[in-house]
Short mmCIF file of all heavy atoms in Angstrom, two decimals:
data_model
loop_
_atom_site.label_atom_id
_atom_site.label_comp_id
_atom_site.label_asym_id
_atom_site.label_seq_id
_atom_site.Cartn_x
_atom_site.Cartn_y
_atom_site.Cartn_z
N MET A 1 0.84 -1.19 0.00
CA MET A 1 0.00 0.00 0.00
C MET A 1 0.88 1.24 0.00
O MET A 1 1.93 1.27 0.64
CB MET A 1 -0.88 -0.01 1.26
CG MET A 1 -1.76 1.23 1.42
SD MET A 1 -2.57 1.27 3.04
CE MET A 1 -3.94 0.16 2.74
N LYS A 2 0.44 2.24 -0.76
CA LYS A 2 1.16 3.51 -0.78
C LYS A 2 0.27 4.62 -0.25
O LYS A 2 -0.95 4.57 -0.35
CB LYS A 2 1.62 3.83 -2.21
CG LYS A 2 2.67 2.86 -2.68
CD LYS A 2 3.32 3.29 -3.95
CE LYS A 2 4.46 2.31 -4.27
NZ LYS A 2 5.08 2.57 -5.54
N VAL A 3 0.92 5.62 0.33
CA VAL A 3 0.18 6.73 0.93
C VAL A 3 0.80 8.05 0.47
O VAL A 3 2.02 8.15 0.30
CB VAL A 3 0.19 6.62 2.47
CG1 VAL A 3 1.59 6.61 3.04
CG2 VAL A 3 -0.64 7.73 3.11
N ARG A 4 -0.07 9.03 0.28
CA ARG A 4 0.40 10.34 -0.18
C ARG A 4 -0.48 11.41 0.46
O ARG A 4 -1.69 11.23 0.63
CB ARG A 4 0.26 10.40 -1.71
CG ARG A 4 0.74 11.66 -2.36
CD ARG A 4 0.59 11.58 -3.87
NE ARG A 4 -0.76 11.92 -4.30
CZ ARG A 4 -1.16 13.17 -4.58
NH1 ARG A 4 -0.32 14.17 -4.45
NH2 ARG A 4 -2.39 13.42 -4.96
N ILE A 5 0.14 12.51 0.84
CA ILE A 5 -0.62 13.67 1.33
C ILE A 5 -0.81 14.64 0.18
O ILE A 5 0.16 15.02 -0.49
CB ILE A 5 0.15 14.40 2.46
CG1 ILE A 5 0.48 13.47 3.62
CG2 ILE A 5 -0.66 15.60 2.95
CD1 ILE A 5 -0.65 13.10 4.50
N LYS A 6 -2.04 15.04 -0.04
CA LYS A 6 -2.30 16.08 -1.04
C LYS A 6 -2.01 17.43 -0.39
O LYS A 6 -2.81 17.93 0.42
CB LYS A 6 -3.75 16.00 -1.52
CG LYS A 6 -4.11 14.67 -2.16
CD LYS A 6 -5.59 14.66 -2.54
CE LYS A 6 -6.08 13.24 -2.76
NZ LYS A 6 -7.55 13.19 -2.89
N ASP A 7 -0.84 17.97 -0.71
CA ASP A 7 -0.36 19.18 -0.04
C ASP A 7 -1.32 20.35 -0.17
O ASP A 7 -1.45 21.18 0.74
CB ASP A 7 1.00 19.59 -0.62
CG ASP A 7 2.08 18.59 -0.27
OD1 ASP A 7 1.95 17.93 0.78
OD2 ASP A 7 3.04 18.46 -1.04
N ASP A 8 -1.99 20.44 -1.31
CA ASP A 8 -2.87 21.58 -1.54
C ASP A 8 -4.17 21.46 -0.77
O ASP A 8 -4.92 22.43 -0.66
CB ASP A 8 -3.15 21.73 -3.05
CG ASP A 8 -3.63 20.42 -3.68
OD1 ASP A 8 -3.29 19.35 -3.16
OD2 ASP A 8 -4.34 20.50 -4.69
N ILE A 9 -4.47 20.28 -0.23
CA ILE A 9 -5.74 20.06 0.48
C ILE A 9 -5.54 20.00 1.99
O ILE A 9 -6.39 20.41 2.76
CB ILE A 9 -6.42 18.77 -0.04
CG1 ILE A 9 -6.80 18.97 -1.51
CG2 ILE A 9 -7.64 18.42 0.80
CD1 ILE A 9 -7.40 17.74 -2.15
N CYS A 10 -4.38 19.49 2.44
CA CYS A 10 -4.10 19.38 3.88
C CYS A 10 -4.20 20.74 4.56
O CYS A 10 -3.64 21.73 4.08
CB CYS A 10 -2.70 18.80 4.09
SG CYS A 10 -2.18 18.78 5.82
N GLN A 11 -4.94 20.76 5.67
CA GLN A 11 -5.10 22.00 6.44
C GLN A 11 -4.47 21.90 7.83
O GLN A 11 -4.70 22.76 8.68
CB GLN A 11 -6.59 22.34 6.58
CG GLN A 11 -7.27 22.66 5.26
CD GLN A 11 -6.72 23.93 4.62
OE1 GLN A 11 -6.45 24.91 5.31
NE2 GLN A 11 -6.54 23.89 3.31
N GLY A 12 -3.74 20.82 8.08
CA GLY A 12 -3.02 20.70 9.34
C GLY A 12 -3.87 20.27 10.52
O GLY A 12 -3.55 20.61 11.66
N HIS A 13 -4.91 19.51 10.28
CA HIS A 13 -5.76 19.06 11.40
C HIS A 13 -5.05 18.06 12.31
O HIS A 13 -5.49 17.85 13.44
CB HIS A 13 -7.05 18.44 10.86
CG HIS A 13 -7.95 19.43 10.17
ND1 HIS A 13 -8.54 20.47 10.82
CD2 HIS A 13 -8.31 19.54 8.86
CE1 HIS A 13 -9.27 21.18 9.95
NE2 HIS A 13 -9.13 20.64 8.76
N ALA A 14 -4.03 17.41 11.82
CA ALA A 14 -3.12 16.57 12.63
C ALA A 14 -3.72 15.25 13.09
O ALA A 14 -3.09 14.53 13.86
CB ALA A 14 -2.58 17.34 13.83
N LEU A 15 -4.93 14.93 12.67
CA LEU A 15 -5.51 13.65 13.10
C LEU A 15 -4.71 12.48 12.55
O LEU A 15 -4.63 11.42 13.18
CB LEU A 15 -6.97 13.56 12.67
CG LEU A 15 -7.89 14.57 13.37
CD1 LEU A 15 -9.28 14.53 12.75
CD2 LEU A 15 -7.96 14.30 14.86
N CYS A 16 -4.12 12.66 11.40
CA CYS A 16 -3.29 11.59 10.82
C CYS A 16 -2.10 11.29 11.73
O CYS A 16 -1.81 10.14 12.03
CB CYS A 16 -2.83 11.98 9.43
SG CYS A 16 -1.97 13.57 9.36
N PHE A 17 -1.45 12.34 12.18
CA PHE A 17 -0.29 12.21 13.06
C PHE A 17 -0.68 11.58 14.40
O PHE A 17 0.02 10.72 14.93
CB PHE A 17 0.35 13.58 13.27
CG PHE A 17 1.44 13.59 14.30
CD1 PHE A 17 2.64 12.94 14.07
CD2 PHE A 17 1.25 14.24 15.51
CE1 PHE A 17 3.65 12.94 15.03
CE2 PHE A 17 2.25 14.25 16.47
CZ PHE A 17 3.45 13.60 16.22
N ILE A 18 -1.81 12.01 14.93
CA ILE A 18 -2.27 11.46 16.21
C ILE A 18 -2.60 9.97 16.05
O ILE A 18 -2.30 9.17 16.93
CB ILE A 18 -3.50 12.25 16.71
CG1 ILE A 18 -3.08 13.67 17.09
CG2 ILE A 18 -4.18 11.54 17.89
CD1 ILE A 18 -4.23 14.63 17.27
N THR A 19 -3.18 9.61 14.92
CA THR A 19 -3.60 8.22 14.70
C THR A 19 -2.43 7.30 14.41
O THR A 19 -2.36 6.18 14.90
CB THR A 19 -4.61 8.16 13.53
OG1 THR A 19 -5.70 9.03 13.82
CG2 THR A 19 -5.12 6.75 13.32
N CYS A 20 -1.48 7.77 13.62
CA CYS A 20 -0.37 6.90 13.20
C CYS A 20 0.93 7.70 13.08
O CYS A 20 1.38 8.02 11.98
CB CYS A 20 -0.72 6.23 11.87
SG CYS A 20 0.47 4.96 11.39
N PRO A 21 1.54 8.02 14.22
CA PRO A 21 2.77 8.81 14.20
C PRO A 21 3.96 8.06 13.59
O PRO A 21 4.99 8.67 13.31
CB PRO A 21 3.01 9.12 15.69
CG PRO A 21 2.27 8.07 16.43
CD PRO A 21 1.09 7.71 15.58
N GLU A 22 3.79 6.74 13.40
CA GLU A 22 4.88 5.99 12.76
C GLU A 22 5.05 6.40 11.29
O GLU A 22 6.13 6.24 10.73
CB GLU A 22 4.58 4.48 12.82
CG GLU A 22 4.46 3.91 14.22
CD GLU A 22 3.02 3.90 14.74
OE1 GLU A 22 2.22 4.74 14.27
OE2 GLU A 22 2.72 3.09 15.61
N VAL A 23 3.98 6.88 10.71
CA VAL A 23 4.00 7.20 9.27
C VAL A 23 3.86 8.69 8.99
O VAL A 23 4.54 9.24 8.13
CB VAL A 23 2.87 6.41 8.54
CG1 VAL A 23 2.69 6.91 7.11
CG2 VAL A 23 3.18 4.91 8.56
N PHE A 24 2.99 9.35 9.76
CA PHE A 24 2.70 10.76 9.48
C PHE A 24 3.46 11.67 10.43
O PHE A 24 3.58 11.39 11.63
CB PHE A 24 1.19 11.02 9.63
CG PHE A 24 0.35 10.23 8.68
CD1 PHE A 24 -0.24 9.04 9.09
CD2 PHE A 24 0.16 10.64 7.38
CE1 PHE A 24 -1.01 8.29 8.21
CE2 PHE A 24 -0.60 9.90 6.48
CZ PHE A 24 -1.19 8.71 6.91
N HIS A 25 3.94 12.75 9.88
CA HIS A 25 4.65 13.76 10.66
C HIS A 25 4.08 15.11 10.29
O HIS A 25 3.44 15.27 9.26
CB HIS A 25 6.14 13.72 10.35
CG HIS A 25 6.76 12.40 10.66
ND1 HIS A 25 7.36 12.11 11.87
CD2 HIS A 25 6.82 11.27 9.93
CE1 HIS A 25 7.78 10.86 11.86
NE2 HIS A 25 7.46 10.33 10.70
N LEU A 26 4.33 16.09 11.15
CA LEU A 26 3.87 17.44 10.85
C LEU A 26 5.07 18.33 10.59
O LEU A 26 6.07 18.29 11.31
CB LEU A 26 3.06 18.00 12.02
CG LEU A 26 1.75 17.27 12.33
CD1 LEU A 26 1.06 17.93 13.51
CD2 LEU A 26 0.82 17.25 11.12
N ASN A 27 4.95 19.13 9.58
CA ASN A 27 5.99 20.09 9.24
C ASN A 27 5.93 21.25 10.24
O ASN A 27 4.88 21.88 10.40
CB ASN A 27 5.75 20.59 7.81
CG ASN A 27 6.86 21.50 7.33
OD1 ASN A 27 7.32 22.36 8.06
ND2 ASN A 27 7.26 21.31 6.09
N ASP A 28 7.04 21.51 10.92
CA ASP A 28 7.06 22.57 11.93
C ASP A 28 6.79 23.95 11.32
O ASP A 28 6.32 24.85 12.00
CB ASP A 28 8.40 22.60 12.65
CG ASP A 28 8.54 21.43 13.62
OD1 ASP A 28 7.51 20.90 14.05
OD2 ASP A 28 9.68 21.07 13.93
N ASP A 29 7.09 24.11 10.06
CA ASP A 29 6.95 25.43 9.44
C ASP A 29 5.51 25.75 9.07
O ASP A 29 4.99 26.80 9.45
CB ASP A 29 7.84 25.51 8.19
CG ASP A 29 9.31 25.46 8.55
OD1 ASP A 29 9.66 25.91 9.66
OD2 ASP A 29 10.11 24.95 7.74
N ASP A 30 4.86 24.84 8.34
CA ASP A 30 3.50 25.16 7.88
C ASP A 30 2.42 24.33 8.58
O ASP A 30 1.23 24.55 8.36
CB ASP A 30 3.39 25.01 6.36
CG ASP A 30 3.65 23.59 5.88
OD1 ASP A 30 3.70 22.67 6.72
OD2 ASP A 30 3.80 23.41 4.66
N GLY A 31 2.82 23.37 9.44
CA GLY A 31 1.85 22.57 10.18
C GLY A 31 1.17 21.50 9.34
O GLY A 31 0.28 20.82 9.83
N HIS A 32 1.56 21.36 8.10
CA HIS A 32 0.96 20.35 7.25
C HIS A 32 1.64 19.01 7.44
O HIS A 32 2.78 18.94 7.90
CB HIS A 32 1.04 20.78 5.78
CG HIS A 32 0.14 21.92 5.45
ND1 HIS A 32 -0.04 22.39 4.18
CD2 HIS A 32 -0.65 22.70 6.24
CE1 HIS A 32 -0.89 23.40 4.18
NE2 HIS A 32 -1.27 23.61 5.42
N ALA A 33 0.91 17.97 7.10
CA ALA A 33 1.44 16.62 7.27
C ALA A 33 2.33 16.21 6.11
O ALA A 33 2.18 16.70 4.99
CB ALA A 33 0.29 15.63 7.41
N TYR A 34 3.26 15.33 6.40
CA TYR A 34 4.03 14.68 5.35
C TYR A 34 4.31 13.25 5.78
O TYR A 34 4.13 12.90 6.95
CB TYR A 34 5.32 15.44 5.04
CG TYR A 34 6.35 15.43 6.14
CD1 TYR A 34 7.39 14.49 6.14
CD2 TYR A 34 6.30 16.35 7.18
CE1 TYR A 34 8.33 14.48 7.16
CE2 TYR A 34 7.23 16.34 8.20
CZ TYR A 34 8.24 15.41 8.18
OH TYR A 34 9.17 15.40 9.19
N VAL A 35 4.69 12.43 4.85
CA VAL A 35 5.04 11.05 5.16
C VAL A 35 6.53 10.84 4.88
O VAL A 35 7.07 11.40 3.94
CB VAL A 35 4.19 10.04 4.34
CG1 VAL A 35 2.74 10.09 4.79
CG2 VAL A 35 4.30 10.30 2.85
N LYS A 36 7.14 10.05 5.75
CA LYS A 36 8.57 9.76 5.58
C LYS A 36 8.81 9.00 4.30
O LYS A 36 9.78 9.23 3.60
CB LYS A 36 9.07 8.92 6.76
CG LYS A 36 9.74 9.71 7.85
CD LYS A 36 10.41 8.74 8.81
CE LYS A 36 10.95 9.49 10.01
NZ LYS A 36 11.45 8.56 11.03
N SER A 37 7.91 8.05 4.04
CA SER A 37 8.02 7.22 2.86
C SER A 37 6.63 6.96 2.31
O SER A 37 5.69 6.80 3.09
CB SER A 37 8.68 5.89 3.23
OG SER A 37 8.52 4.95 2.18
N ASN A 38 6.50 6.96 1.01
CA ASN A 38 5.19 6.69 0.41
C ASN A 38 4.78 5.23 0.58
O ASN A 38 3.59 4.93 0.51
CB ASN A 38 5.20 7.05 -1.08
CG ASN A 38 5.29 8.55 -1.29
OD1 ASN A 38 6.30 9.06 -1.74
ND2 ASN A 38 4.25 9.27 -0.92
N GLN A 39 5.74 4.37 0.81
CA GLN A 39 5.43 2.96 1.01
C GLN A 39 5.06 2.73 2.47
O GLN A 39 5.86 3.01 3.37
CB GLN A 39 6.64 2.10 0.63
CG GLN A 39 6.36 0.62 0.62
CD GLN A 39 5.40 0.20 -0.48
OE1 GLN A 39 5.55 0.60 -1.62
NE2 GLN A 39 4.39 -0.59 -0.12
N VAL A 40 3.84 2.24 2.72
CA VAL A 40 3.40 1.98 4.09
C VAL A 40 4.12 0.75 4.62
O VAL A 40 4.08 -0.31 3.99
CB VAL A 40 1.87 1.76 4.14
CG1 VAL A 40 1.42 1.41 5.54
CG2 VAL A 40 1.14 3.01 3.63
N PRO A 41 4.79 0.88 5.78
CA PRO A 41 5.49 -0.28 6.33
C PRO A 41 4.54 -1.43 6.64
O PRO A 41 3.37 -1.20 6.98
CB PRO A 41 6.11 0.26 7.63
CG PRO A 41 6.17 1.74 7.44
CD PRO A 41 4.98 2.08 6.59
N ALA A 42 5.03 -2.64 6.52
CA ALA A 42 4.22 -3.83 6.80
C ALA A 42 3.66 -3.74 8.21
O ALA A 42 4.35 -3.36 9.15
CB ALA A 42 5.08 -5.08 6.66
N GLY A 43 2.40 -4.08 8.34
CA GLY A 43 1.74 -4.09 9.64
C GLY A 43 1.07 -2.79 10.02
O GLY A 43 0.34 -2.73 11.01
N LEU A 44 1.30 -1.74 9.23
CA LEU A 44 0.70 -0.45 9.57
C LEU A 44 -0.43 -0.06 8.61
O LEU A 44 -0.95 1.05 8.68
CB LEU A 44 1.77 0.65 9.57
CG LEU A 44 2.77 0.57 10.72
CD1 LEU A 44 3.82 1.67 10.58
CD2 LEU A 44 2.07 0.69 12.07
N GLU A 45 -0.82 -0.99 7.75
CA GLU A 45 -1.86 -0.68 6.76
C GLU A 45 -3.18 -0.26 7.43
O GLU A 45 -3.82 0.70 6.99
CB GLU A 45 -2.11 -1.87 5.84
CG GLU A 45 -0.97 -2.14 4.87
CD GLU A 45 0.06 -3.10 5.41
OE1 GLU A 45 0.03 -3.39 6.63
OE2 GLU A 45 0.91 -3.57 4.63
N ASP A 46 -3.59 -0.99 8.48
CA ASP A 46 -4.86 -0.68 9.13
C ASP A 46 -4.83 0.70 9.79
O ASP A 46 -5.80 1.46 9.70
CB ASP A 46 -5.20 -1.74 10.19
CG ASP A 46 -5.66 -3.05 9.56
OD1 ASP A 46 -5.86 -3.08 8.33
OD2 ASP A 46 -5.81 -4.04 10.30
N LYS A 47 -3.72 1.02 10.44
CA LYS A 47 -3.61 2.33 11.09
C LYS A 47 -3.61 3.45 10.07
O LYS A 47 -4.22 4.50 10.28
CB LYS A 47 -2.32 2.40 11.94
CG LYS A 47 -2.47 1.77 13.30
CD LYS A 47 -1.18 1.90 14.10
CE LYS A 47 -1.19 3.12 14.97
NZ LYS A 47 -0.01 3.14 15.89
N VAL A 48 -2.93 3.24 8.97
CA VAL A 48 -2.88 4.27 7.92
C VAL A 48 -4.26 4.45 7.28
O VAL A 48 -4.68 5.57 6.98
CB VAL A 48 -1.80 3.93 6.88
CG1 VAL A 48 -1.91 4.83 5.66
CG2 VAL A 48 -0.42 4.04 7.50
N THR A 49 -4.98 3.33 7.12
CA THR A 49 -6.33 3.42 6.57
C THR A 49 -7.24 4.19 7.53
O THR A 49 -8.02 5.06 7.10
CB THR A 49 -6.90 2.01 6.32
OG1 THR A 49 -6.05 1.34 5.39
CG2 THR A 49 -8.31 2.08 5.77
N THR A 50 -7.13 3.91 8.82
CA THR A 50 -7.91 4.64 9.82
C THR A 50 -7.55 6.12 9.79
O THR A 50 -8.42 7.00 9.85
CB THR A 50 -7.65 4.07 11.23
OG1 THR A 50 -8.04 2.70 11.24
CG2 THR A 50 -8.43 4.83 12.29
N ALA A 51 -6.27 6.41 9.68
CA ALA A 51 -5.82 7.81 9.62
C ALA A 51 -6.39 8.50 8.40
O ALA A 51 -6.84 9.66 8.47
CB ALA A 51 -4.29 7.86 9.60
N SER A 52 -6.39 7.80 7.29
CA SER A 52 -6.93 8.39 6.05
C SER A 52 -8.40 8.74 6.22
O SER A 52 -8.85 9.83 5.83
CB SER A 52 -6.74 7.40 4.91
OG SER A 52 -7.39 7.86 3.75
N LYS A 53 -9.16 7.84 6.83
CA LYS A 53 -10.59 8.09 7.04
C LYS A 53 -10.82 9.21 8.05
O LYS A 53 -11.86 9.86 8.04
CB LYS A 53 -11.28 6.81 7.51
CG LYS A 53 -11.37 5.75 6.42
CD LYS A 53 -11.99 4.47 6.95
CE LYS A 53 -12.07 3.42 5.84
NZ LYS A 53 -12.43 2.09 6.38
N SER A 54 -9.86 9.42 8.95
CA SER A 54 -10.04 10.43 10.00
C SER A 54 -9.79 11.85 9.49
O SER A 54 -10.21 12.82 10.13
CB SER A 54 -9.09 10.15 11.17
OG SER A 54 -7.77 10.53 10.86
N CYS A 55 -9.13 11.98 8.36
CA CYS A 55 -8.80 13.32 7.87
C CYS A 55 -10.05 14.02 7.37
O CYS A 55 -10.67 13.58 6.41
CB CYS A 55 -7.77 13.24 6.75
SG CYS A 55 -7.44 14.88 6.03
N PRO A 56 -10.43 15.14 8.01
CA PRO A 56 -11.67 15.82 7.61
C PRO A 56 -11.59 16.46 6.23
O PRO A 56 -12.61 16.80 5.65
CB PRO A 56 -11.87 16.87 8.70
CG PRO A 56 -10.56 17.01 9.38
CD PRO A 56 -9.80 15.75 9.17
N GLU A 57 -10.39 16.63 5.71
CA GLU A 57 -10.23 17.24 4.39
C GLU A 57 -10.12 16.21 3.27
O GLU A 57 -10.11 16.59 2.09
CB GLU A 57 -8.97 18.13 4.36
CG GLU A 57 -8.89 19.16 5.47
CD GLU A 57 -9.96 20.23 5.34
OE1 GLU A 57 -10.43 20.47 4.21
OE2 GLU A 57 -10.32 20.82 6.37
N GLY A 58 -10.00 14.93 3.62
CA GLY A 58 -9.79 13.92 2.59
C GLY A 58 -8.46 14.10 1.88
O GLY A 58 -8.34 13.86 0.68
N ALA A 59 -7.46 14.51 2.64
CA ALA A 59 -6.17 14.86 2.04
C ALA A 59 -5.20 13.69 1.93
O ALA A 59 -4.12 13.84 1.40
CB ALA A 59 -5.50 15.98 2.85
N ILE A 60 -5.60 12.53 2.44
CA ILE A 60 -4.71 11.38 2.44
C ILE A 60 -5.15 10.40 1.39
O ILE A 60 -6.25 9.84 1.45
CB ILE A 60 -4.67 10.72 3.83
CG1 ILE A 60 -4.24 11.73 4.88
CG2 ILE A 60 -3.75 9.50 3.82
CD1 ILE A 60 -4.43 11.25 6.31
N GLU A 61 -4.28 10.18 0.42
CA GLU A 61 -4.62 9.30 -0.70
C GLU A 61 -3.90 7.98 -0.54
O GLU A 61 -2.68 7.94 -0.37
CB GLU A 61 -4.18 9.98 -2.00
CG GLU A 61 -4.53 9.18 -3.26
CD GLU A 61 -4.08 9.93 -4.49
OE1 GLU A 61 -2.90 9.81 -4.87
OE2 GLU A 61 -4.91 10.64 -5.06
N LEU A 62 -4.66 6.89 -0.61
CA LEU A 62 -4.09 5.54 -0.52
C LEU A 62 -4.21 4.86 -1.87
O LEU A 62 -5.23 4.99 -2.54
CB LEU A 62 -4.84 4.72 0.54
CG LEU A 62 -4.85 5.28 1.96
CD1 LEU A 62 -5.66 4.35 2.86
CD2 LEU A 62 -3.44 5.44 2.49
N THR A 63 -3.17 4.14 -2.23
CA THR A 63 -3.23 3.31 -3.42
C THR A 63 -2.72 1.92 -3.07
O THR A 63 -1.77 1.80 -2.28
CB THR A 63 -2.39 3.90 -4.57
OG1 THR A 63 -1.08 4.19 -4.10
CG2 THR A 63 -3.01 5.17 -5.12
N PRO A 64 -3.38 0.89 -3.60
CA PRO A 64 -3.01 -0.49 -3.25
C PRO A 64 -1.57 -0.82 -3.64
O PRO A 64 -1.04 -0.23 -4.56
CB PRO A 64 -3.98 -1.34 -4.03
CG PRO A 64 -5.11 -0.43 -4.40
CD PRO A 64 -4.53 0.95 -4.49
FE1 F3S B 101 -3.59 17.28 6.98
FE2 F3S B 101 -5.66 15.71 7.22
FE3 F3S B 101 -3.49 15.17 8.52
S1 F3S B 101 -5.73 17.93 7.05
S2 F3S B 101 -2.56 17.15 8.95
S3 F3S B 101 -3.71 15.19 6.30
S4 F3S B 101 -5.56 14.93 9.28
#
């Protein structure tokens, strides 16, 4: 599974980071989320999916 943050849509709600800090981080400068790697580490697919659903902006894109 791959994950991507749509930079133009993210508003910094941080629910992704709260849900799965192993994958999502917040940029100290603009408060927007980023991912260390687009490839979701094994075993974290469910958490990343939950994080994606938690984003009120729909800014987290998952691809199989
Ligand atoms: Fe951005 Fe959504 Fe996370 S708005 S900070 S991707 S919860």
